[in-house]
Amino acid sequence: GELDAVESDSDVPILLPMLNGERSPEWNAQLTGAWYGLGAEHSVHHLRRSIVEGVVFNLVHYLEILAGASGSTPQQIVLSGNGFLNRAAGSILASLTTGRTLVTSDPGLASLRGAAMCASRALGVDVSTAIESIVGQATTVAGDATTIAARTPAKPDAVRRRSSTSNLRRKMRAASQPRRTARPHHRAHPVRVH
């Protein structure tokens, strides 16, 4: 669709999608979003792709945190939620992860579905069959050709640009943090006993 209008060697600006602050892992409501590398040569297609990439790269960032904390890389990722109504989002994510990526037949309303499953479990209703049915009907998502092309050794500049996203995120976060003033060093005075 529209995201395919951007060629694989195109220089898509990087979006930091912190439009309402950032939850985990930073927990900082003061962080703001930004576009890095945005120029007059970029079209609406570049911006659309940048938005989807920014959100997906953020999700991959969280997957990396979870993998690091658990010591285990997911072998299968099941996508759900309104963000994956845009099929390009799933394809981009699939190209950035190593596990098999699946998308449910109706990825929307995942929070509502999840809340219903939690409520059912709280009432003692076994929902494992329903979950297995949803996952069983999921289809494998193919990696996005544009993202895959940007990750190949034949395109080292694109690879550096993609891998620098994490460094850019850190710099942007650091820049938005309030500056700390140095506190004077207090020394404990010895207590004298007479």
Side-chain angles (χ1 to χ4, degrees), residues 116-144:
M117 288 178 183
C118 288
S120 296
R121 282 189 176 168
L123 295 171
V125 177
D126 181 14
V127 294
S128 58
T129 305
I131 294 170
E132 289 171 14
S133 174
I134 291 169
V135 173
Q137 295 173 20
T139 57
T140 301
V141 178
D144 174 69

Side-chain angles (χ1 to χ4, degrees), residues 85-146:
L85 292 173
N86 178 331
R87 297 293 179 183
S91 295
I92 293 169
L93 191 136
S95 65
L96 297 171
T97 57
T98 56
R100 181 176 174 218
T101 304
L102 302 170
V103 66
T104 59
S105 59
D106 182 17
L109 303 175
S111 296
L112 181 60
R113 194 175 300 125
M117 288 178 183
C118 288
S120 296
R121 282 189 176 168
L123 295 171
V125 177
D126 181 14
V127 294
S128 58
T129 305
I131 294 170
E132 289 171 14
S133 174
I134 291 169
V135 173
Q137 295 173 20
T139 57
T140 301
V141 178
D144 174 69
T146 303

Side-chain angles (χ1 to χ4, degrees), residues 12-18 22 34-35 46-62 89 92 96 161-162 165 169:
V12 176
I14 296 171
L15 173 69
L16 296 177
M18 296 170 240
E22 181 69 337
W35 256 301
H46 290 101
L47 299 181
R48 284 183 182 142
R49 177 151 191 107
S50 177
I51 290 167
V52 173
E53 282 186 359
V55 171
V56 170
F57 272 83
N58 209 32
L59 289 174
V60 171
H61 174 66
Y62 296 132
I92 293 169
L96 297 171
R161 179 190 166 276
R162 297 288 193 240
T165 303
R169 286 174 57 92

Side-chain angles (χ1 to χ4, degrees), residues 20 111 183:
N20 294 309
S111 296
R183 288 200 254 167

Side-chain angles (χ1 to χ4, degrees), residues 178-186:
R179 298 207 184 257
R180 294 182 181 159
T181 56
R183 288 200 254 167
H185 230 55
H186 294 284

